[in-house]
């Protein structure tokens, strides 16, 4: 049976099947969500806050808990959208303010401009560039380092 998930602050509702994850609701709503780890619960790029209905979600897994522990913007109501499955009604998801970049190439075109909204680090969710601040080459090197770290980590976990 389908469940309705409310998305705040964009005031949107989407319907997903029972036991589907919140990430599918975000993607069905045509929201741009970077899935750096491919939905395996090992990065911060689908980090959301549960405003209501935490008891209508699947329990935290050990992997999700470990990932949430390194996210600098984590709160008690934090979940990874790729891991949180909707099993009951009344889920209200609050999207974090800011955006994750798709790739270093996407951000290179923005060098020298001011960020329209916070730009977040893809692995730990910390703010790389605050809204209104200038986007610099330093940020690109941080993103490149993050991609190398993520690739090495993911390769290590799939080999084990």
């Amino acid at each position: 049976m389908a469940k309705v998930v409310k998305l705040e602050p964009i005031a949107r509702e989407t319907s997903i099947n029972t036991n589907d994850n919140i990430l599918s609701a975000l993607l069905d709503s045509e929201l741009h969500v970077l899935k750096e780890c491919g939905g395996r619960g090992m990065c911060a790029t689908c980090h959301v806050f549960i405003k209501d209905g935490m008891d209508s979600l699947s329990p935290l897994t050990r992997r999700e808990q470990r990932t949430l522990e390194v996210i600098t913007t984590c709160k008690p109501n934090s979940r990874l959208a790729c891991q949180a499955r909707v099993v009951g009604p009344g889920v209200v998801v609050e999207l974090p303010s800011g955006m994750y970049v798709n790739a270093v190439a996407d951000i290179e075109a923005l060098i020298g401009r001011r960020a329209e909204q916070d730009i977040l680090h893809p692995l730990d969710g910390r703010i790389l560039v605050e809204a209104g601040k200038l986007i610099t080459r330093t940020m690109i090197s941080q993103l490149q380092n993050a991609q190398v770290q993520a690739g090495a980590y993911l390769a290590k976990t799939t080999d084990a």
Side-chain angles (χ1 to χ4, degrees), residues 44-49 68 71 73-75 78-81 96 100:
T45 57
C46 68
H47 172 233
V48 295
F49 303 107
L68 288 172
I71 298 174
T73 56
C74 188
K75 298 178 184 176
S78 288
R79 289 297 303 263
L80 297 178
Y100 294 103

Side-chain angles (χ1 to χ4, degrees), residues 44-45 100 119-128 142-143 146 149:
T45 57
Y100 294 103
I119 298 177
L120 308 174
H121 191 282
L123 297 179
D124 60 19
R126 69 186 152 86
I127 298 173
L128 288 174
Q142 290 178 14
L143 286 173
Q149 291 169 357

Side-chain angles (χ1 to χ4, degrees), residues 150-160:
Y153 178 75
L154 293 174
K156 183 172 66 177
T157 59
T158 55
D159 291 342

Side-chain angles (χ1 to χ4, degrees), residues 74-107:
C74 188
K75 298 178 184 176
N77 65 332
S78 288
R79 289 297 303 263
L80 297 178
C82 68
Q83 299 298 300
R85 298 195 173 282
V86 179
V87 295
V91 176
V92 179
V93 176
E94 181 181 347
L95 305 172
S97 61
M99 63 170 277
Y100 294 103
V101 294
N102 233 357
V104 172
D106 292 343
I107 202 67

